[in-house]
Amino acid sequence: METTWRPVLLSETEKPYWKPLQQFVRDERKKVTVFPPNKDVFAALHLTPYEKVSVLILGQDPYHEVGQAHGLCFSVGPNVPIPPSLQNIYKELHDDLGCQIPNNGCLTSWAEQGVLLLNAVLTVRAHQANSHQGKGWESFTDAIIRAVNDKSDRVVFVLWGAYARKKAPLIDTSRHVIIQSAHPSPLSASNGFFGSRPFSKINAALREAGKPEIDWQIPDL
């Protein structure tokens, strides 16, 4: 884990669920293909140090097809086709801020600016969505949300879809900002995601707090 996260989450990794969870993932990797690769499971923490988090975007489950998941929610590696949900995010980003739609789905540049791209579950069996739900990852990622909520400076929490919105009680809205809407997936994007203008709202909330805005333009590769 990123060194600045280690002291923040150390007590969580000492709880009874942690070792069985890690053993479960190791056993799964021996039997089946698991995404993302082991080196990328905590990529969101590596790329976005604790003290730098100013935005948290919550996803649910890693992508489960070959080559897609690399540890950041909604993001894929540089040479991987852009998934439908991310295509819709890019459409809304274009309509909201005029950003050009890039030729790739790699959101690393957001993470490096302080956008924690966190999935609620950090691993998944190949081709089996939600296959690692309920094994303990949710306890760990809830602890991450609570730790970010404990920051004294304002953080903008982005909750897209019903699953993410269930995490709202973990967030103190007297200090932080929640931006929520329908999920950007093709099944729900037309029911409240398109037109929600989350990116300009995030930057407005950061600006009000005297924090740097995010440059949302993903560079072409």
Side-chain angles (χ1 to χ4, degrees):
M1 274 181 261
E2 162 67 42
T3 53
T4 61
W5 284 97
R6 190 179 300 278
V8 175
L9 297 172
L10 183 61
S11 63
E12 198 64 25
T13 63
E14 294 172 344
K15 290 184 177 178
Y17 77 86
W18 181 254
K19 285 185 178 178
L21 168 62
Q22 298 309 305
Q23 189 61 51
F24 165 76
V25 175
R26 283 193 292 270
D27 291 344
E28 283 280 277
R29 289 192 188 277
K30 292 174 185 175
K31 297 184 294 185
V32 296
T33 300
V34 172
F35 298 131
N38 198 50
K39 66 180 178 61
D40 290 335
V41 170
F42 300 110
L45 303 181
H46 285 293
L47 286 167
T48 311
Y50 177 69
E51 72 276 1
K52 195 173 178 181
V53 177
S54 61
V55 180
L56 188 156
I57 297 178
L58 185 66
Q60 183 170 352
D61 200 46
Y63 293 124
H64 55 267
E65 299 302 335
V66 175
Q68 289 183 313
H70 68 140
L72 306 178
C73 72
F74 296 106
S75 180
V76 292
N79 299 309
V80 178
I82 301 172
S85 290
L86 185 53
Q87 290 180 28
N88 288 338
I89 290 171
Y90 283 167
K91 287 177 187 175
E92 180 61 21
L93 182 55
H94 175 267
D95 292 346
D96 186 2
L97 292 177
C99 291
Q100 294 183 347
I101 294 176
N103 64 1
N104 68 94
C106 186
L107 305 182
T108 299
S109 68
W110 292 358
E112 290 172 342
Q113 294 179 74
V115 181
L116 183 63
L117 295 167
L118 181 69
N119 275 315
V121 176
L122 298 187
T123 56
V124 67
R125 275 191 179 197
H127 320 302
Q128 295 184 40
N130 304 321
S131 49
H132 284 185
Q133 281 194 358
K135 303 298 183 181
W137 280 128
E138 295 91 341
S139 296
F140 181 66
T141 55
D142 279 0
I144 293 173
I145 295 169
R146 289 191 188 95
V148 174
N149 178 68
D150 287 342
K151 285 168 64 80
S152 58
D153 56 310
R154 174 180 287 179
V155 177
V156 183
F157 292 82
V158 181
L159 307 179
W160 287 329
Y163 182 91
R165 290 200 297 270
K166 290 178 182 176
K167 305 296 184 179
L170 301 177
I171 301 160
D172 177 3
T173 53
S174 70
R175 290 183 294 118
H176 304 301
V177 173
I178 296 176
I179 292 172
Q180 52 187 322
S181 73
H183 195 276
S185 78
L187 296 173
S188 56
S190 297
N191 296 321
F193 176 73
F194 288 139
S196 63
R197 305 197 64 181
F199 304 100
S200 57
K201 290 176 181 176
I202 294 167
N203 278 355
L206 294 175
R207 199 162 55 242
E208 288 169 6
K211 301 183 75 171
E213 296 180 28
I214 304 299
D215 177 2
W216 295 104
Q217 179 65 63
I218 297 294
D220 281 339
L221 297 174

